[in-house]
């Protein structure tokens, strides 16, 4: 799975407000370097294919050591002092809080005639799960994670409802970790059953049709000495069936592969309850396998239906023994095929939806039609087909934006979808597949006027001539005089498409006269698998070239200047901004590097990092090592270079991109900085890679991020 998919301006890890309330002497304004804490350098060298590579801050990989803890505290004090000295910070936080205080809704799920959806009243730290028996009737709270921890760091990550709507299986995560604990709740009483499942990660649950239990995946319980996330790589996932009322130790092992430690399993059950369909993944590879089990036959084996890992196959629905898959086999932009389990040979496969000009992102069955979500230059088009693939209609969307949803039942024409854009808060619609009519189910009200802003899409020529799309949003009447502050966001990896999304932080930025730009870089999925591969492994430099070209276009076109141009990215996007800054330190006025992958030679050693080899390549491969080493941010800093102001953001509980990446890079950047601009790191406690982050911390972090940009870009107060 992707490292991180959210294309949000607000970064993904925050430092709690009380950390920044410490009174300290202010940082240097001019005339010298900032008072960075000492970062001890050691003589650590590794040999990669005959190349001697230094790693002077290896000791910062030990997250449990007292020296590392002292270093974290010292770095946070310096960062706290700098941010506390910015006069605009409290006003920015106040406006963010005001705008964030609006109702937000998730897509409803319908099971057993009941509806289930999450809602946030505005400033609640975590979304609350509701249920109701009728769309026009009252909703009641089924699960409120805000009651589970005083600091709001326990989050509802995933849930599934039994087919009769009586039972809820749900997974909670604490402190930003990817690890989840699953429980089962009675929907009528709101009380939990005794069932308790642990060591669940990268999983979903799938109920059997009788509601007696569900399938899920987990890892073996680790030994105590390797439970600290960076010390434990996640291998040998196993697929289990949990029968209600039994201990986890009694769960039935459905499938595992002791001969292949990288295999992971995502279960789903066909709507008729006949088949268990198993999506088999290896890290973030696009290619996957599909296995199945006939649940109508007691003791039936798991059958390897698609086992060659030659393409992506995403289960999209079924009709009896016929399964539909969205695949990029012989179709890099995606197509839909039908496979009959009674005669599954490839020559018997039937093409239902052929490859189109646009990339097909998802397909689902709703009643008597198939709903396809396509990307046309990185924004959504929704098209309806009958079950034979004949076009029925296109759905008119409210504008340039992103549509998601359309989960449905074979016997129910009702479905729901969400639409959002850069100035359109996520709105939930109910859609009738028989009539083709949509009506608003829930529409947020945010305290701003969207008519004051505009979004346009431009196309930029990259270094090799490739045409790269970019969205630009700002206040109407913007003057192209080269003086506007610009926030340029990018991701460019793991086949992840960055499409228009509403964000409070970007809105506050634009209210202050800023321009918000989002570049759709190679490595993403905006144009299908070919676009993805063009920014992966040996071709990764294309991603950085695309981003740099977007920055140059914004300057040449009169939007901004290098001094007023900020870049930001998170996770894989943190790699993007760090590498771009190192390659072109003259091009940017400020840089945000959030939870980034920054040591490209040691990333496979920690937690799920081995799974990113499919996108980055492996340092064990001589050719791929050469490319990785050529752009690895940690290894390419040049002492004496004047780097732009930089804010690095991470969290001590990030067990996806471990914080050692950010620790080592921050120490190396502070050592290399030849100018007087600040190079700071912000390290949160009780937070992780971003999932389930409390709203209070989101707001604090966004305020600090924008304040840093106001200060370092020299924006008018």
């Amino acid at each position: 799975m992707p490292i991180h998919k959210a294309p949000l301006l607000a970064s993904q890890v925050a430092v709690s407000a009380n950390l920044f309330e410490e009174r300290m002497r202010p940082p240097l304004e001019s005339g010298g370097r900032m008072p960075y804490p000492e970062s001890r350098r050691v003589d650590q060298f590794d040999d990669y294919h005959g190349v001697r590579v230094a790693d002077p801050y290896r000791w910062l990989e030990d997250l449990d050591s007292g020296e590392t803890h002292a270093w974290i505290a010292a770095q946070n004090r310096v960062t706290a002092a700098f941010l506390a000295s910015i006069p605009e910070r409290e006003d920015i936080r106040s406006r963010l809080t005001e705008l964030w205080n609006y109702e937000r809704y998730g897509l409803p799920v319908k099971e057993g005639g009941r509806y289930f959806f999450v809602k946030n009243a505005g400033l609640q730290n975590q979304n609350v799960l509701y249920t109701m028996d009728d769309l026009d009737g009252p909703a009641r709270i089924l699960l409120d994670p805000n009651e589970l921890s005083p600091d709001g760091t326990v989050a509802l990550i995933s849930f599934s409802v039994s087919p009769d709507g009586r039972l809820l299986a749900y997974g909670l995560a604490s402190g930003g970790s990817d690890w989840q604990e699953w429980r089962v709740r009675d929907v009528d009483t709101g009380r939990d059953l005794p069932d308790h499942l642990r060591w669940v990660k990268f999983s979903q649950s799938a109920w059997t049709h009788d509601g007696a239990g569900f399938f899920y995946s987990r890892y073996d319980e680790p030994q105590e000495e390797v439970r600290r996330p960076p010390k434990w790589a996640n291998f040998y996932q196993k697929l289990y069936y949990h029968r209600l009322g039994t201990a986890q130790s009694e769960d039935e092992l459905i499938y595992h592969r002791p001969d292949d430690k990288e295999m992971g399993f995502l279960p789903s059950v066909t709507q008729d309850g006949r088949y268990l369909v198993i999506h088999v993944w290896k890290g973030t590879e696009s290619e996957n396998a599909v296995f199945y089990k006939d649940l109508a036959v007691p003791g039936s084996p798991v059958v390897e239906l698609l086992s060659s890992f030659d393409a992506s196959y995403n289960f999209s629905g079924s009709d009896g023994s016929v399964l539909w898959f969205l695949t990029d086999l012989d179709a890099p932009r995606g197509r839909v095929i039908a496979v009959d389990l009674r005669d599954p040979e490839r020559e018997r496969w039937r093409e239902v939806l052929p490859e189109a000009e646009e990339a097909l992102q998802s397909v689902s069955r709703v009643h008597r039609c198939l709903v396809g979500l396509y990307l046309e230059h990185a924004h959504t088009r929704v098209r309806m087909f009958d079950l034979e693939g004949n076009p029925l209609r296109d759905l008119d969307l409210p504008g340039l934006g992103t549509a998601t949803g359309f989960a449905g039942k074979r016997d129910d024409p009702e479905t729901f979808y969400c639409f959002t854009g850069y100035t359109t808060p996520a709105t939930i619609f109910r859609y009738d597949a028989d009539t083709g009519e949509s009506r608003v189910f829930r529409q947020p009200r945010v305290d701003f006027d969207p008519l004051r802003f505009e979004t346009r899409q431009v196309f930029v020529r990259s270094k090799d001539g490739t045409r790269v799309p970019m969205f630009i949003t700002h206040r109407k009447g913007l003057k192209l005089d080269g003086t506007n502050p610009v926030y340029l966001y990018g991701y460019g990896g793991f086949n992840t498409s960055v499409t228009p999304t509403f964000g409070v932080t970007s809105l506050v930025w634009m209210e202050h006269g800023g321009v918000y730009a989002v570049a759709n870089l190679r490595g993403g999925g905006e144009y299908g698998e070919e676009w993805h591969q063009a920014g992966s492994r040996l071709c990764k430099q294309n991603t950085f070239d695309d981003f740099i070209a977007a920055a140059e276009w914004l300057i040449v076109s009169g939007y901004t200047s290098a001094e007023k141009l900020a870049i930001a990215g998170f996770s894989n996007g943190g790699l993007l901004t760090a590498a771009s800054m190192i390659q072109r330190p003259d091009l940017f006025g400020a840089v945000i590097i959030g939870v980034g992958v920054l040591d490209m030679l040691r990333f496979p050693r920690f937690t799920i990092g081995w799974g990113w080899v499919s996108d980055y390549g492996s340092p064990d491969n001589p050719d791929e090592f050469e490319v990785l080493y050529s752009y690895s941010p940690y290894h390419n800093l040049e002492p004496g270079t004047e780097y732009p102001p930089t804010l690095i953001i991470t969290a001590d509980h990030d067990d996806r991109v471990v914080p050692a990446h950010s620790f080592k890079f921050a120490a190396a950047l502070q050592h290399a900085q030849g100018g007087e601009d600040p190079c700071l790191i912000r390290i949160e406690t009780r937070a992780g890679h971003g999932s389930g982050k409390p709203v209070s911390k989101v707001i604090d972090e966004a305020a600090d991020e924008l304040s840093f940009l106001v200060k370092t870009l020299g924006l008018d107060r």
Side-chain angles (χ1 to χ4, degrees), residues 252-323:
E252 179 186 357
L253 177 61
I254 300 299
Y255 194 80
H256 74 131
R257 286 294 291 270
D259 62 319
D260 193 331
K261 64 181 182 181
E262 296 183 357
M263 277 193 179
F265 312 101
L266 291 174
S268 58
V269 174
T270 56
Q271 285 189 14
D272 61 6
R274 175 67 184 269
Y275 298 103
L276 168 67
V277 181
I278 306 168
H279 179 101
V280 185
W281 55 272
K282 289 188 177 184
T284 56
E285 291 182 11
S286 297
E287 297 81 8
N288 67 281
V290 176
F291 304 159
Y292 76 92
K293 177 181 174 68
D294 189 341
L295 299 179
V297 180
S300 65
V302 170
V303 179
E304 298 186 2
L305 177 65
L306 306 168
S307 59
S308 58
F309 284 89
D310 59 345
S312 67
Y313 300 92
N314 294 304
F315 175 60
S316 301
S318 65
D319 188 3
S321 63
V322 178
L323 307 184

Side-chain angles (χ1 to χ4, degrees), residues 187-481:
V187 174
D188 287 327
T189 66
R191 296 176 180 173
D192 282 343
L193 305 181
D195 306 77
H196 183 198
L197 310 180
R198 303 180 66 206
W199 305 113
V200 181
K201 195 176 190 181
F202 310 134
S203 180
Q204 62 191 27
S205 61
W207 288 87
T208 49
H209 223 233
D210 58 6
F214 55 86
F215 301 95
Y216 74 103
S217 298
R218 71 174 180 91
Y219 294 91
D220 287 339
E221 181 176 353
Q223 298 298 313
E224 184 66 34
E225 62 269 18
V226 296
R227 286 188 182 179
R228 185 68 180 177
K231 298 178 181 177
W232 181 26
N234 304 136
F235 293 123
Y236 299 110
Q237 193 183 57
K238 297 178 179 179
L239 178 64
Y240 285 91
Y241 177 69
H242 174 72
R243 183 171 294 278
L244 296 181
T246 64
Q248 186 177 21
S249 60
E250 299 176 23
D251 288 351
E252 179 186 357
L253 177 61
I254 300 299
Y255 194 80
H256 74 131
R257 286 294 291 270
D259 62 319
D260 193 331
K261 64 181 182 181
E262 296 183 357
M263 277 193 179
F265 312 101
L266 291 174
S268 58
V269 174
T270 56
Q271 285 189 14
D272 61 6
R274 175 67 184 269
Y275 298 103
L276 168 67
V277 181
I278 306 168
H279 179 101
V280 185
W281 55 272
K282 289 188 177 184
T284 56
E285 291 182 11
S286 297
E287 297 81 8
N288 67 281
V290 176
F291 304 159
Y292 76 92
K293 177 181 174 68
D294 189 341
L295 299 179
V297 180
S300 65
V302 170
V303 179
E304 298 186 2
L305 177 65
L306 306 168
S307 59
S308 58
F309 284 89
D310 59 345
S312 67
Y313 300 92
N314 294 304
F315 175 60
S316 301
S318 65
D319 188 3
S321 63
V322 178
L323 307 184
W324 290 301
F325 296 97
L326 168 58
T327 182
D328 59 13
L329 179 70
D330 301 324
R333 293 184 300 278
R335 63 182 178 131
V336 176
I337 61 172
V339 180
D340 193 328
L341 300 182
R342 297 169 301 181
D343 191 9
E345 298 302 317
R346 292 201 174 207
E347 58 269 19
R348 300 295 186 183
W349 294 359
R350 179 171 58 88
E351 184 174 79
V352 179
L353 295 181
E355 183 181 31
E357 289 298 318
E358 301 85 3
L360 180 56
Q361 297 288 287
S362 68
V363 65
S364 58
R365 176 179 177 174
V366 180
H367 203 25
R368 293 186 294 269
C369 72
L370 297 175
V371 182
L373 301 186
Y374 291 83
L375 281 187
E376 181 178 355
H377 301 306
H379 58 89
T380 305
R381 297 293 188 196
V382 181
R383 293 172 181 159
M384 311 292 179
F385 306 86
D386 66 22
L387 298 184
E388 299 301 316
N390 300 306
L392 294 175
R393 66 181 76 93
D394 287 1
L395 178 65
D396 291 331
L397 296 175
L400 190 77
T402 303
T404 55
F406 295 98
K409 297 285 195 298
R410 55 190 296 172
D411 56 353
D412 189 349
E414 180 181 58
T415 187
F416 297 87
Y417 67 93
C418 172
F419 179 82
T420 183
Y422 291 117
T423 57
T424 304
T427 301
I428 309 299
F429 293 85
R430 178 188 179 276
Y431 178 76
D432 189 309
D434 280 344
T435 65
E437 295 180 356
S438 291
R439 68 175 177 89
V440 172
F441 171 64
R442 294 290 186 271
Q443 185 169 24
R445 292 179 174 86
V446 184
D447 184 23
F448 84 110
D449 182 4
L451 297 179
R452 296 172 55 203
F453 302 89
E454 61 183 346
T455 296
R456 63 182 295 230
Q457 187 176 45
V458 300
F459 293 87
V460 177
R461 291 292 178 184
S462 191
K463 183 178 181 180
D464 62 358
T466 298
R467 195 167 177 253
V468 177
M470 177 166 60
F471 293 103
I472 304 174
T473 307
H474 52 75
R475 277 181 172 176
K476 290 180 178 178
L478 184 77
K479 293 182 179 179
L480 300 182
D481 57 6

Side-chain angles (χ1 to χ4, degrees), residues 678-692:
C679 300
L680 304 174
I681 183 169
R682 189 177 190 276
I683 307 159
E684 172 63 290
T685 58
R686 289 288 294 168
H689 197 64
S691 179

Side-chain angles (χ1 to χ4, degrees), residues 100-231:
W100 230 294
N101 192 15
Y102 73 96
E103 291 183 331
R104 300 181 294 281
Y105 299 89
L107 285 163
V109 174
K110 186 178 182 181
E111 293 290 355
R114 287 170 161 160
Y115 298 89
F116 302 82
F117 65 95
V118 296
K119 172 188 170 184
N120 193 301
L123 297 178
Q124 292 174 292
N125 276 322
Q126 300 295 339
N127 296 334
V128 179
L129 179 62
Y130 289 78
T131 185
M132 57 186 179
D133 296 328
D134 185 87
L135 287 182
D136 298 320
R140 64 179 174 87
I141 294 175
L142 181 56
L143 176 64
D144 185 356
N146 298 289
E147 299 177 349
L148 301 180
S149 66
D151 60 357
T153 58
V154 173
L156 174 65
I157 301 300
S158 182
F159 70 90
S160 65
V161 183
S162 61
D164 59 9
R166 294 180 52 252
L167 297 171
L168 170 80
Y170 66 95
L172 299 176
S174 178
S177 174
D178 280 336
W179 290 107
Q180 301 172 27
E181 295 190 25
W182 280 72
R183 297 183 182 275
V184 179
R185 178 160 294 192
D186 185 294
V187 174
D188 287 327
T189 66
R191 296 176 180 173
D192 282 343
L193 305 181
D195 306 77
H196 183 198
L197 310 180
R198 303 180 66 206
W199 305 113
V200 181
K201 195 176 190 181
F202 310 134
S203 180
Q204 62 191 27
S205 61
W207 288 87
T208 49
H209 223 233
D210 58 6
F214 55 86
F215 301 95
Y216 74 103
S217 298
R218 71 174 180 91
Y219 294 91
D220 287 339
E221 181 176 353
Q223 298 298 313
E224 184 66 34
E225 62 269 18
V226 296
R227 286 188 182 179
R228 185 68 180 177
K231 298 178 181 177

Side-chain angles (χ1 to χ4, degrees), residues 15 19-20 22 24 27 33-40 57 59-60 67-83 646-648 650 659 662-671 678-684:
V15 180
L19 177 65
F20 289 101
E22 300 178 23
M24 305 173 54
R33 284 168 53 86
M34 291 194 64
Y36 300 119
E38 179 183 357
S39 298
R40 179 171 59 90
Y57 302 107
W59 59 275
L60 283 169
E67 185 178 16
T68 299
H69 289 171
W71 183 90
I72 291 171
Q75 291 286 350
N76 274 339
R77 285 194 293 269
V78 171
T79 302
F82 182 89
L83 295 172
T646 304
L647 179 62
I648 302 163
T650 190
S662 295
F663 295 172
K664 292 165 61 176
F665 180 76
L669 178 60
Q670 291 172 355
H671 174 77
C679 300
L680 304 174
I681 183 169
R682 189 177 190 276
I683 307 159
E684 172 63 290

